[in-house]
Amino acid sequence: MGKIRVGFGFDVHRLVEGRELWLGGIRLEHSMGLLGHSDADVLIHAICDALLGAANMRDIGYHFPDTGEEFRDIDSKILLRKTVELIGTKGYRVGNVDATVCAERPKLKPHIPAMQVCLAEVMGIDADDVSVKATTTEKLGFTGREEGISAYATVLIES
């Protein structure tokens, strides 16, 4: 049996008017979107950080700096694909992903199956190996006030 490792990722982006809302690689209809150098997909960014951490390869900002013009408004699915390729250079592949998105609105439950399929396709794994959960913060904190959205991800990688 090969080596297995786990990683944890976390990301936050501010909600603002005039931006599209991208979560888990899919566009959601909402009055606000996430602010960031890329498309600001917090779920994908948390997964990328978890994968990089599991492989002991620093973090998303190290590999895809927000000072890099080549990453301005980039589709985060490209960053996820590149992250999977990066961990592959150390002999790792994605085993499974377990992620949670914290947002008051929009309601994410109806979109979760599409997110799972999209993320699995990008990472080259089975949709059954991608768990996405949604929660609110019961109107508490910055997510509760709808100032932003946060995401957490735990991953297992194997060699």
Side-chain angles (χ1 to χ4, degrees), residues 10-23:
F10 171 72
D11 195 34
V12 171
H13 281 283
R14 178 182 303 276
L15 278 165
V16 296
E17 307 250 336
R19 292 263 306 184
E20 293 180 348
L21 178 59
W22 286 88
L23 281 175

Side-chain angles (χ1 to χ4, degrees), residues 73-98:
D73 297 322
I74 195 169
D75 180 338
S76 290
K77 291 186 292 291
I78 295 168
L79 303 181
L80 180 56
R81 190 170 292 116
K82 288 179 183 291
T83 299
V84 171
E85 290 168 6
L86 278 169
I87 70 166
T89 65
K90 286 184 82 170
Y92 291 107
R93 64 182 180 82
V94 181
N96 74 297
V97 173
D98 182 21

Side-chain angles (χ1 to χ4, degrees), residues 39-57:
D39 65 11
D41 188 324
V42 287
L43 177 52
I44 287 183
H45 296 180
I47 293 169
C48 288
D49 262 355
L51 290 168
L52 291 166
N56 193 19
M57 296 180 79

Side-chain angles (χ1 to χ4, degrees), residues 2 26 28 76 80 82 92 112 125 127 137 139 143 147-149 151:
I26 64 169
L28 303 179
S76 290
L80 180 56
K82 288 179 183 291
Y92 291 107
I112 287 174
I125 61 176
T137 56
K139 307 261 185 232
T143 55
E147 295 169 10
I149 294 177

Side-chain angles (χ1 to χ4, degrees), residues 3-7 53-56 90 92 155-159:
K3 189 174 188 178
I4 64 168
R5 296 175 68 137
V6 297
N56 193 19
K90 286 184 82 170
Y92 291 107
V155 302
L156 179 119
I157 62 173
E158 25 192 22
S159 62

